């Protein structure tokens, strides 16, 4: 009696880290490795001091959706604890990224509107709920935060982080 041996390369997944790190709703290579530095910084350390910035998500009577405030100034290297509150009547989210990344991600969200994020730079909140993101901005520049639920960014729900 012969025994067949089938060799399966165990390290195959390690050779393509994007596949291993792809988050829910992301294509391989599109998610964020939490260890690598992104154009807009790195996940913060919740145990370290951070400046608190409160951001309210809401809808207005005329149909606009907005973040208040929608412009934030940060010093390069500063860690921010974004305290988030959804005062609106529908789900909202905030995604910190470059404008280009958020616009590309918005296209993916239109194809899959129920996509939820499990990334340190994003948080989705139901009405009247709160949450937080801790982020350290390591590079100077202008970055975007948007609600990428289909139609929300188009209704005005975006803002800027200026890192100096």
């Amino acid at each position: 009696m012969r025994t067949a041996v089938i060799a399966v390369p165990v390290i195959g997944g390690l050779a393509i880290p994007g596949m291993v790190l792809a988050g829910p709703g992301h294509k391989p290579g599109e998610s964020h490795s939490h260890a690598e530095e992104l154009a807009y910084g790195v996940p913060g350390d919740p145990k370290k001091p951070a400046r608190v910035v409160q951001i309210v998500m809401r809808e207005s009577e005329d149909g606009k959706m907005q973040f208040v405030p929608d412009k934030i100034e940060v010093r390069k290297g500063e860690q921010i604890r974004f305290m988030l509150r959804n005062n609106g009547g529908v789900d909202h989210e905030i995604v910190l990224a470059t404008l280009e990344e958020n616009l590309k991600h918005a296209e993916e969200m239109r194809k899959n509107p129920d996509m939820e994020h499990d990334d340190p730079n994003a948080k989705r909140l139901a009405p009247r709920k709160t949450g937080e993101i801790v982020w350290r901005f390591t590079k100077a520049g202008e970055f975007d935060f948007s609600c990428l639920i289909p139609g929300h960014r188009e209704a005005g729900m975006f803002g800027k982080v200026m890192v100096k």
Side-chain angles (χ1 to χ4, degrees):
M1 180 172 171
R2 270 195 158 148
T3 305
V5 177
I6 300 173
V8 178
V10 176
I11 61 168
L14 298 176
I16 308 171
M19 289 179 68
V20 176
L21 298 172
H26 293 277
K27 293 179 183 173
E30 287 186 347
S31 75
H32 310 295
S33 166
H34 305 307
E36 77 181 63
E37 185 172 5
L38 302 165
Y40 46 96
V42 295
D45 181 346
K47 296 176 185 167
K48 291 189 177 179
R51 177 166 59 108
V52 174
V53 173
Q54 295 185 23
I55 297 181
V56 174
M57 306 167 178
R58 67 180 188 191
E59 309 94 44
S60 62
E61 290 183 24
D62 64 357
K64 286 194 73 173
M65 295 184 176
Q66 47 194 188
F67 290 109
V68 178
D70 62 359
K71 290 184 178 85
I72 300 162
E73 288 191 13
V74 176
R75 290 182 320 275
K76 181 180 168 187
E78 187 174 19
Q79 178 166 285
I80 303 293
R81 181 179 307 274
F82 292 101
M83 302 301 293
L84 311 169
R85 178 168 183 79
N86 182 353
N87 281 351
V90 298
D91 283 8
H92 289 298
E93 69 179 11
I94 184 170
V95 181
L96 282 169
T98 65
L99 177 59
E100 180 182 28
E101 288 172 335
N102 268 350
L103 292 176
K104 182 178 177 184
H105 198 143
E107 286 297 318
E108 291 298 318
M109 290 287 293
R110 277 190 269 288
K111 296 173 191 169
N112 183 8
D114 295 324
M115 179 191 312
E116 293 200 25
H117 302 95
D118 186 24
D119 293 314
N121 65 316
K123 182 69 75 178
R124 186 172 186 148
L125 296 174
R128 307 291 180 219
K129 296 297 180 186
T130 61
E132 72 176 43
I133 292 175
V134 179
W135 196 261
R136 190 164 56 91
F137 293 90
T138 57
K139 298 180 182 177
E142 189 173 287
F143 305 105
D144 184 74
F145 58 95
S146 294
C147 181
L148 300 179
I149 295 172
H152 291 212
R153 188 175 206 293
E154 296 80 0
M157 201 159 192
F158 57 89
K160 292 181 184 180
V161 177
M162 281 98 37
V163 182
K164 299 180 180 199

